[in-house]
Amino acid sequence: MRKAVLALCIVPLVFFLALSTGVRSTEAAVDTELLDALEEAKGLNLSTENIRDYMGGTSDLDTEDEKYMGLVRAKIRLARLVSVTSYGGERARAPMTLGSLTGLVMTMLSESGSVDTKMDPFNLADYVIYQVVYPMDLEPLIRELPAYYRAIVQDEDWEEKFDTLLSEGKYGPDLDGGKAFHELGFPVVNKDPKYVEPLYVSLADSDFALQEVDGAIEGWLYSFWMRRYNEGSMNVVKRILDWLNVRLDEAAGAKG
């Protein structure tokens, strides 16, 4: 029963995943491999004590910064999901980016109609919040992405600037940890230098590691919206983020 409900919620996610990565297959539907990958990502031990730098020593991440560490944990879980679904299992999948997968997680509700209804079918809101958002540590990401959206659209030339970056093939390392956006006049949303520094982290109790020269948080969050713009999904993803933030506020009120 649990997997049936999970499949119901993940179908739109896999559908958009297939379209965005160039996969055109009748097998681009929910399967146990994807469900197991999600459970594996949710099950990672991301306690401060378990996070190490890439060489196995004590991580130099600023563990006192709660918001920053929340975003790092979300990135690690999504990176794990990407690594399993891109390269794991018997059937090879097209590689996908963290930004694309994050957008697809946000977009998983768009075909259900729940964004535009007052009463969510099948108690979908509770399912998404308690079975996906919280276990995947996505709340800090969902809370932070609207700040980057506002930073983008307040610039009257933002579309032209995105087109410039896209036409120049500015992805990954070419974004210089987010500095490429700053050079075009987009504001520094998080001013602490660590937000534009690369991430080199591993987990002490597993073989998983995140080694990304281009993996700075600032660049990740700005490029999230640039990729949504390039896909034509920016507006719907923003609506879903707004919906999720309202649901998170309600869940926080219920717990309080």
Side-chain angles (χ1 to χ4, degrees):
M1 180 63 180
R2 181 187 64 82
K3 290 216 170 184
V5 175
L6 183 57
L8 175 65
C9 295
I10 296 295
V11 165
L13 166 60
V14 181
F15 173 75
F16 282 104
L17 176 60
L19 293 182
S20 69
T21 57
V23 176
R24 297 293 186 271
S25 170
T26 57
E27 292 182 311
V30 175
D31 55 34
T32 56
E33 183 182 337
L34 181 60
L35 301 179
D36 290 344
L38 181 62
E39 291 302 309
E40 185 175 333
K42 288 161 61 174
L44 291 176
N45 175 6
L46 298 187
S47 64
T48 301
E49 297 74 19
N50 200 46
I51 298 178
R52 299 284 186 264
D53 69 24
Y54 189 72
M55 300 305 293
T58 301
S59 173
D60 59 1
L61 292 172
D62 185 357
T63 57
E64 299 300 316
D65 188 330
E66 185 175 343
K67 184 178 82 168
Y68 176 73
M69 287 304 298
L71 292 168
V72 168
R73 288 186 173 95
K75 199 173 199 302
I76 292 172
R77 291 200 193 278
L78 289 169
R80 183 55 173 171
L81 184 56
V82 166
S83 69
V84 174
T85 55
S86 292
Y87 306 107
E90 297 178 358
R91 287 179 284 111
R93 299 178 187 271
M96 56 187 125
T97 66
L98 272 180
S100 294
L101 182 57
T102 307
L104 294 167
V105 171
M106 304 308 175
T107 309
M108 63 185 287
L109 303 177
S110 64
E111 290 208 331
S112 71
S114 61
V115 174
D116 296 321
T117 60
K118 294 181 180 179
M119 298 298 293
D120 299 320
F122 313 112
N123 203 16
L124 188 56
D126 280 353
Y127 176 82
V128 172
I129 296 301
Y130 292 105
Q131 300 299 323
V132 179
V133 174
Y134 285 160
M136 285 289 289
D137 285 321
L138 295 181
E139 181 176 6
L141 183 62
I142 291 167
R143 298 294 197 184
E144 190 68 6
L145 280 170
Y148 282 79
Y149 178 89
R150 292 189 295 271
I152 291 164
V153 299
Q154 71 183 8
D155 188 319
E156 61 181 16
D157 298 321
W158 70 271
E159 292 175 280
E160 181 180 342
K161 292 176 179 179
F162 272 8
D163 287 337
T164 297
L165 289 172
L166 290 165
S167 67
E168 294 175 354
K170 291 294 183 78
Y171 292 104
D174 294 327
L175 294 173
D176 196 15
K179 295 175 184 177
F181 294 98
H182 302 158
E183 290 172 359
L184 285 178
F186 290 113
V188 179
V189 179
N190 284 286
K191 302 186 185 303
D192 193 301
K194 63 177 172 283
Y195 281 86
V196 294
E197 294 173 356
L199 291 174
Y200 298 97
V201 297
S202 63
L203 302 181
D205 66 349
S206 75
D207 61 356
F208 180 71
L210 184 64
Q211 184 182 27
E212 297 188 315
V213 174
D214 62 316
I217 297 297
E218 184 90 348
W220 181 40
L221 299 182
Y222 261 122
S223 63
F224 169 91
W225 288 114
M226 185 173 73
R227 294 176 189 278
R228 304 293 77 72
Y229 167 73
N230 192 41
E231 296 166 356
S233 64
M234 195 165 172
N235 290 335
V236 70
V237 170
K238 177 56 168 58
R239 288 171 56 220
I240 293 165
L241 275 169
D242 291 342
W243 183 87
L244 285 170
N245 273 291
V246 171
R247 302 288 85 79
L248 284 167
D249 289 341
E250 291 173 349
K255 288 192 296 185

